[in-house]
Short mmCIF file of all heavy atoms in Angstrom, two decimals:
data_model
loop_
_atom_site.label_atom_id
_atom_site.label_comp_id
_atom_site.label_asym_id
_atom_site.label_seq_id
_atom_site.Cartn_x
_atom_site.Cartn_y
_atom_site.Cartn_z
N ALA A 18 -122.35 -10.76 -18.10
CA ALA A 18 -123.58 -11.53 -17.99
C ALA A 18 -124.12 -11.35 -16.59
O ALA A 18 -123.36 -11.12 -15.65
CB ALA A 18 -123.31 -13.01 -18.27
N PRO A 19 -125.41 -11.42 -16.39
CA PRO A 19 -125.97 -11.23 -15.06
C PRO A 19 -125.63 -12.37 -14.12
O PRO A 19 -125.56 -13.52 -14.53
CB PRO A 19 -127.49 -11.20 -15.33
CG PRO A 19 -127.65 -11.99 -16.59
CD PRO A 19 -126.43 -11.69 -17.42
N LEU A 20 -125.35 -12.04 -12.88
CA LEU A 20 -125.03 -13.04 -11.87
C LEU A 20 -126.28 -13.82 -11.48
O LEU A 20 -127.33 -13.26 -11.23
CB LEU A 20 -124.46 -12.37 -10.62
CG LEU A 20 -124.19 -13.30 -9.43
CD1 LEU A 20 -123.08 -14.29 -9.79
CD2 LEU A 20 -123.81 -12.50 -8.20
N LEU A 21 -126.15 -15.12 -11.47
CA LEU A 21 -127.24 -15.98 -11.02
C LEU A 21 -126.98 -16.39 -9.59
O LEU A 21 -125.89 -16.84 -9.26
CB LEU A 21 -127.34 -17.22 -11.92
CG LEU A 21 -127.59 -16.96 -13.41
CD1 LEU A 21 -127.64 -18.28 -14.16
CD2 LEU A 21 -128.88 -16.20 -13.60
N GLN A 22 -127.94 -16.24 -8.72
CA GLN A 22 -127.78 -16.58 -7.32
C GLN A 22 -128.34 -17.98 -7.07
O GLN A 22 -129.40 -18.34 -7.58
CB GLN A 22 -128.54 -15.56 -6.45
CG GLN A 22 -128.01 -14.14 -6.56
CD GLN A 22 -126.64 -13.98 -5.94
OE1 GLN A 22 -126.27 -14.72 -5.04
NE2 GLN A 22 -125.89 -13.01 -6.41
N THR A 23 -127.64 -18.76 -6.29
CA THR A 23 -128.04 -20.09 -5.85
C THR A 23 -128.05 -21.10 -6.99
O THR A 23 -127.41 -22.14 -6.91
CB THR A 23 -129.42 -20.07 -5.16
OG1 THR A 23 -129.37 -19.15 -4.06
CG2 THR A 23 -129.76 -21.46 -4.62
N VAL A 24 -128.79 -20.81 -8.07
CA VAL A 24 -128.79 -21.72 -9.22
C VAL A 24 -127.47 -21.56 -9.95
O VAL A 24 -127.10 -20.45 -10.36
CB VAL A 24 -129.96 -21.40 -10.17
CG1 VAL A 24 -129.92 -22.31 -11.39
CG2 VAL A 24 -131.29 -21.54 -9.43
N ILE A 25 -126.75 -22.64 -10.13
CA ILE A 25 -125.40 -22.55 -10.69
C ILE A 25 -125.44 -22.27 -12.18
O ILE A 25 -126.31 -22.75 -12.90
CB ILE A 25 -124.61 -23.84 -10.39
CG1 ILE A 25 -123.11 -23.63 -10.60
CG2 ILE A 25 -125.14 -25.01 -11.22
CD1 ILE A 25 -122.27 -24.70 -9.98
N VAL A 26 -124.51 -21.45 -12.65
CA VAL A 26 -124.49 -21.09 -14.06
C VAL A 26 -123.96 -22.25 -14.90
O VAL A 26 -123.19 -23.09 -14.43
CB VAL A 26 -123.63 -19.83 -14.32
CG1 VAL A 26 -124.16 -18.64 -13.54
CG2 VAL A 26 -122.17 -20.09 -14.00
N THR A 27 -124.38 -22.28 -16.15
CA THR A 27 -123.93 -23.28 -17.11
C THR A 27 -123.66 -22.59 -18.43
O THR A 27 -123.96 -21.41 -18.62
CB THR A 27 -124.98 -24.39 -17.31
OG1 THR A 27 -126.19 -23.79 -17.80
CG2 THR A 27 -125.27 -25.13 -16.01
N GLY A 28 -123.09 -23.32 -19.37
CA GLY A 28 -122.88 -22.79 -20.71
C GLY A 28 -121.72 -21.83 -20.79
O GLY A 28 -120.90 -21.72 -19.88
N MET A 29 -121.65 -21.11 -21.91
CA MET A 29 -120.53 -20.20 -22.17
C MET A 29 -120.59 -18.98 -21.26
O MET A 29 -121.62 -18.32 -21.15
CB MET A 29 -120.57 -19.75 -23.63
CG MET A 29 -119.30 -19.06 -24.09
SD MET A 29 -117.91 -20.21 -24.23
CE MET A 29 -118.41 -21.17 -25.66
N GLN A 30 -119.47 -18.68 -20.59
CA GLN A 30 -119.39 -17.53 -19.67
C GLN A 30 -118.07 -16.81 -19.90
O GLN A 30 -117.07 -17.42 -20.26
CB GLN A 30 -119.50 -17.98 -18.22
CG GLN A 30 -120.80 -18.68 -17.86
CD GLN A 30 -122.01 -17.77 -17.95
OE1 GLN A 30 -121.87 -16.55 -17.84
NE2 GLN A 30 -123.19 -18.35 -18.14
N PRO A 31 -118.03 -15.48 -19.67
CA PRO A 31 -116.83 -14.70 -19.99
C PRO A 31 -115.74 -14.74 -18.93
O PRO A 31 -114.59 -14.46 -19.22
CB PRO A 31 -117.38 -13.28 -20.13
CG PRO A 31 -118.55 -13.25 -19.20
CD PRO A 31 -119.16 -14.62 -19.28
N GLY A 32 -116.10 -15.03 -17.67
CA GLY A 32 -115.13 -14.91 -16.60
C GLY A 32 -114.86 -13.45 -16.28
O GLY A 32 -115.36 -12.54 -16.97
N PRO A 33 -114.09 -13.18 -15.25
CA PRO A 33 -113.79 -11.79 -14.87
C PRO A 33 -112.81 -11.13 -15.83
O PRO A 33 -112.17 -11.80 -16.63
CB PRO A 33 -113.19 -11.93 -13.47
CG PRO A 33 -112.54 -13.28 -13.52
CD PRO A 33 -113.44 -14.13 -14.36
N GLY A 34 -112.70 -9.82 -15.72
CA GLY A 34 -111.76 -9.10 -16.55
C GLY A 34 -110.33 -9.24 -16.07
O GLY A 34 -110.05 -9.82 -15.02
N LEU A 35 -109.42 -8.69 -16.84
CA LEU A 35 -108.00 -8.76 -16.51
C LEU A 35 -107.57 -7.56 -15.67
O LEU A 35 -108.02 -6.44 -15.88
CB LEU A 35 -107.16 -8.79 -17.78
CG LEU A 35 -107.35 -9.99 -18.71
CD1 LEU A 35 -106.51 -9.82 -19.95
CD2 LEU A 35 -107.01 -11.28 -17.99
N TRP A 36 -106.68 -7.82 -14.74
CA TRP A 36 -106.01 -6.74 -14.00
C TRP A 36 -104.82 -6.26 -14.83
O TRP A 36 -104.15 -7.06 -15.50
CB TRP A 36 -105.53 -7.24 -12.64
CG TRP A 36 -106.53 -7.10 -11.54
CD1 TRP A 36 -106.51 -6.20 -10.51
CD2 TRP A 36 -107.72 -7.88 -11.34
NE1 TRP A 36 -107.60 -6.38 -9.70
CE2 TRP A 36 -108.36 -7.39 -10.18
CE3 TRP A 36 -108.31 -8.94 -12.04
CZ2 TRP A 36 -109.55 -7.93 -9.70
CZ3 TRP A 36 -109.50 -9.48 -11.58
CH2 TRP A 36 -110.11 -8.96 -10.42
N LYS A 37 -104.57 -4.97 -14.76
CA LYS A 37 -103.47 -4.38 -15.51
C LYS A 37 -102.40 -3.86 -14.55
O LYS A 37 -102.68 -3.07 -13.66
CB LYS A 37 -103.97 -3.22 -16.38
CG LYS A 37 -102.89 -2.57 -17.24
CD LYS A 37 -103.47 -1.41 -18.05
CE LYS A 37 -102.40 -0.74 -18.91
NZ LYS A 37 -102.96 0.40 -19.68
N VAL A 38 -101.17 -4.35 -14.73
CA VAL A 38 -100.02 -3.88 -13.97
C VAL A 38 -99.09 -3.19 -14.96
O VAL A 38 -98.78 -3.74 -16.01
CB VAL A 38 -99.28 -5.04 -13.28
CG1 VAL A 38 -98.08 -4.52 -12.48
CG2 VAL A 38 -100.23 -5.82 -12.38
N SER A 39 -98.66 -1.98 -14.64
CA SER A 39 -97.84 -1.25 -15.61
C SER A 39 -96.77 -0.42 -14.92
O SER A 39 -96.89 -0.03 -13.76
CB SER A 39 -98.72 -0.33 -16.48
OG SER A 39 -99.44 0.59 -15.67
N LYS A 40 -95.72 -0.20 -15.67
CA LYS A 40 -94.66 0.73 -15.28
C LYS A 40 -94.06 1.26 -16.57
O LYS A 40 -93.46 0.50 -17.34
CB LYS A 40 -93.60 0.06 -14.41
CG LYS A 40 -92.45 1.02 -14.06
CD LYS A 40 -91.45 0.39 -13.10
CE LYS A 40 -91.94 0.47 -11.66
NZ LYS A 40 -90.85 0.11 -10.69
N GLY A 41 -94.25 2.55 -16.81
CA GLY A 41 -93.79 3.11 -18.08
C GLY A 41 -94.56 2.49 -19.24
O GLY A 41 -95.79 2.41 -19.22
N ASP A 42 -93.82 2.00 -20.24
CA ASP A 42 -94.44 1.39 -21.41
C ASP A 42 -94.58 -0.12 -21.28
O ASP A 42 -94.96 -0.79 -22.24
CB ASP A 42 -93.61 1.70 -22.67
CG ASP A 42 -93.59 3.19 -22.99
OD1 ASP A 42 -94.58 3.87 -22.66
OD2 ASP A 42 -92.58 3.67 -23.55
N HIS A 43 -94.28 -0.65 -20.12
CA HIS A 43 -94.33 -2.11 -19.92
C HIS A 43 -95.60 -2.49 -19.17
O HIS A 43 -95.94 -1.90 -18.14
CB HIS A 43 -93.09 -2.58 -19.15
CG HIS A 43 -91.81 -2.35 -19.92
ND1 HIS A 43 -91.12 -3.38 -20.51
CD2 HIS A 43 -91.12 -1.21 -20.21
CE1 HIS A 43 -90.05 -2.89 -21.13
NE2 HIS A 43 -90.03 -1.57 -20.95
N VAL A 44 -96.30 -3.48 -19.70
CA VAL A 44 -97.61 -3.87 -19.18
C VAL A 44 -97.64 -5.36 -18.88
O VAL A 44 -97.05 -6.16 -19.63
CB VAL A 44 -98.73 -3.51 -20.18
CG1 VAL A 44 -100.07 -4.07 -19.71
CG2 VAL A 44 -98.83 -2.01 -20.37
N MET A 45 -98.31 -5.73 -17.81
CA MET A 45 -98.60 -7.13 -17.53
C MET A 45 -100.10 -7.27 -17.28
O MET A 45 -100.66 -6.60 -16.41
CB MET A 45 -97.83 -7.64 -16.30
CG MET A 45 -98.14 -9.10 -15.95
SD MET A 45 -97.03 -9.78 -14.67
CE MET A 45 -97.50 -8.75 -13.26
N TRP A 46 -100.78 -8.12 -18.06
CA TRP A 46 -102.18 -8.44 -17.85
C TRP A 46 -102.25 -9.67 -16.97
O TRP A 46 -101.55 -10.66 -17.21
CB TRP A 46 -102.89 -8.70 -19.17
CG TRP A 46 -102.96 -7.49 -20.05
CD1 TRP A 46 -102.24 -7.25 -21.19
CD2 TRP A 46 -103.80 -6.35 -19.86
NE1 TRP A 46 -102.58 -6.03 -21.72
CE2 TRP A 46 -103.54 -5.45 -20.93
CE3 TRP A 46 -104.75 -6.00 -18.90
CZ2 TRP A 46 -104.19 -4.24 -21.06
CZ3 TRP A 46 -105.40 -4.78 -19.03
CH2 TRP A 46 -105.12 -3.91 -20.10
N VAL A 47 -103.10 -9.63 -15.95
CA VAL A 47 -103.15 -10.72 -14.96
C VAL A 47 -104.56 -11.31 -14.92
O VAL A 47 -105.55 -10.59 -14.72
CB VAL A 47 -102.75 -10.23 -13.56
CG1 VAL A 47 -102.70 -11.41 -12.58
CG2 VAL A 47 -101.39 -9.53 -13.61
N LEU A 48 -104.63 -12.59 -15.07
CA LEU A 48 -105.88 -13.34 -15.02
C LEU A 48 -106.03 -14.00 -13.65
O LEU A 48 -105.15 -14.73 -13.22
CB LEU A 48 -105.87 -14.41 -16.11
CG LEU A 48 -107.04 -15.39 -16.16
CD1 LEU A 48 -108.34 -14.69 -16.46
CD2 LEU A 48 -106.76 -16.48 -17.19
N GLY A 49 -107.12 -13.73 -12.97
CA GLY A 49 -107.35 -14.32 -11.65
C GLY A 49 -108.11 -15.62 -11.75
O GLY A 49 -109.15 -15.70 -12.41
N THR A 50 -107.61 -16.65 -11.11
CA THR A 50 -108.28 -17.95 -11.11
C THR A 50 -108.97 -18.18 -9.77
O THR A 50 -108.62 -17.58 -8.76
CB THR A 50 -107.30 -19.09 -11.39
OG1 THR A 50 -106.28 -19.10 -10.37
CG2 THR A 50 -106.65 -18.92 -12.75
N LEU A 51 -109.94 -19.07 -9.79
CA LEU A 51 -110.74 -19.33 -8.60
C LEU A 51 -111.12 -20.80 -8.56
O LEU A 51 -111.29 -21.43 -9.61
CB LEU A 51 -112.00 -18.47 -8.61
CG LEU A 51 -112.86 -18.46 -7.33
CD1 LEU A 51 -112.13 -17.72 -6.22
CD2 LEU A 51 -114.21 -17.79 -7.61
N SER A 52 -111.26 -21.33 -7.37
CA SER A 52 -111.74 -22.70 -7.21
C SER A 52 -112.61 -22.76 -5.97
O SER A 52 -112.29 -22.14 -4.96
CB SER A 52 -110.54 -23.65 -7.06
OG SER A 52 -110.98 -24.97 -6.87
N PRO A 53 -113.76 -23.46 -6.05
CA PRO A 53 -114.26 -24.20 -7.20
C PRO A 53 -114.99 -23.31 -8.18
O PRO A 53 -115.31 -22.16 -7.90
CB PRO A 53 -115.22 -25.20 -6.55
CG PRO A 53 -115.76 -24.46 -5.36
CD PRO A 53 -114.60 -23.65 -4.84
N LEU A 54 -115.28 -23.90 -9.36
CA LEU A 54 -116.05 -23.24 -10.40
C LEU A 54 -117.21 -24.15 -10.83
O LEU A 54 -117.20 -25.35 -10.55
CB LEU A 54 -115.16 -22.94 -11.60
CG LEU A 54 -114.11 -21.84 -11.43
CD1 LEU A 54 -113.24 -21.74 -12.67
CD2 LEU A 54 -114.75 -20.50 -11.11
N PRO A 55 -118.21 -23.61 -11.52
CA PRO A 55 -119.32 -24.44 -11.98
C PRO A 55 -118.84 -25.55 -12.92
O PRO A 55 -118.07 -25.29 -13.86
CB PRO A 55 -120.22 -23.44 -12.71
CG PRO A 55 -119.90 -22.12 -12.10
CD PRO A 55 -118.44 -22.17 -11.82
N ARG A 56 -119.30 -26.75 -12.68
CA ARG A 56 -118.82 -27.91 -13.46
C ARG A 56 -119.18 -27.79 -14.94
O ARG A 56 -118.39 -28.18 -15.81
CB ARG A 56 -119.41 -29.19 -12.88
CG ARG A 56 -118.95 -30.46 -13.60
CD ARG A 56 -119.51 -31.70 -12.94
NE ARG A 56 -119.11 -31.79 -11.55
CZ ARG A 56 -117.92 -32.25 -11.14
NH1 ARG A 56 -117.03 -32.64 -12.03
NH2 ARG A 56 -117.63 -32.30 -9.85
N HIS A 57 -120.37 -27.27 -15.24
CA HIS A 57 -120.84 -27.25 -16.63
C HIS A 57 -120.73 -25.88 -17.26
O HIS A 57 -121.36 -25.61 -18.28
CB HIS A 57 -122.28 -27.75 -16.68
CG HIS A 57 -122.44 -29.15 -16.15
ND1 HIS A 57 -121.86 -30.25 -16.76
CD2 HIS A 57 -123.08 -29.62 -15.04
CE1 HIS A 57 -122.15 -31.34 -16.08
NE2 HIS A 57 -122.88 -30.98 -15.02
N MET A 58 -119.91 -25.01 -16.67
CA MET A 58 -119.63 -23.72 -17.26
C MET A 58 -118.50 -23.87 -18.28
O MET A 58 -117.52 -24.55 -18.05
CB MET A 58 -119.23 -22.73 -16.16
CG MET A 58 -118.88 -21.33 -16.65
SD MET A 58 -117.12 -21.11 -17.07
CE MET A 58 -116.31 -21.43 -15.51
N GLN A 59 -118.65 -23.22 -19.44
CA GLN A 59 -117.60 -23.19 -20.44
C GLN A 59 -117.04 -21.77 -20.47
O GLN A 59 -117.77 -20.82 -20.73
CB GLN A 59 -118.13 -23.59 -21.82
CG GLN A 59 -118.57 -25.04 -21.91
CD GLN A 59 -119.13 -25.35 -23.28
OE1 GLN A 59 -119.97 -24.63 -23.82
NE2 GLN A 59 -118.65 -26.44 -23.85
N TRP A 60 -115.76 -21.66 -20.23
CA TRP A 60 -115.15 -20.33 -20.15
C TRP A 60 -114.87 -19.79 -21.55
O TRP A 60 -114.25 -20.48 -22.37
CB TRP A 60 -113.87 -20.43 -19.33
CG TRP A 60 -113.07 -19.18 -19.28
CD1 TRP A 60 -113.50 -17.94 -18.95
CD2 TRP A 60 -111.69 -19.05 -19.60
NE1 TRP A 60 -112.48 -17.03 -19.02
CE2 TRP A 60 -111.34 -17.69 -19.42
CE3 TRP A 60 -110.70 -19.95 -20.01
CZ2 TRP A 60 -110.06 -17.22 -19.64
CZ3 TRP A 60 -109.42 -19.47 -20.22
CH2 TRP A 60 -109.11 -18.12 -20.04
#
């Protein structure tokens, strides 16, 4: 979704993508969290 500047986003939002950590056939997907976030954003 397009980034909104200054005006805070609301409603349903996707959040960032996952980081992938791997070694051989073993994978770990990592979700990055952040604070603060928009109060009326639904992830």
Side-chain angles (χ1 to χ4, degrees):
L20 175 66
L21 301 179
Q22 297 291 334
T23 303
V24 178
I25 196 164
V26 301
T27 59
M29 193 70 70
Q30 299 294 336
L35 297 177
W36 270 253
K37 182 181 180 181
V38 180
S39 58
K40 177 175 279 191
D42 296 330
H43 296 254
V44 173
M45 178 171 65
W46 295 106
V47 185
L48 175 64
T50 60
L51 189 70
S52 179
L54 289 176
R56 181 177 301 279
H57 300 295
M58 179 270 299
Q59 293 178 311
W60 174 52

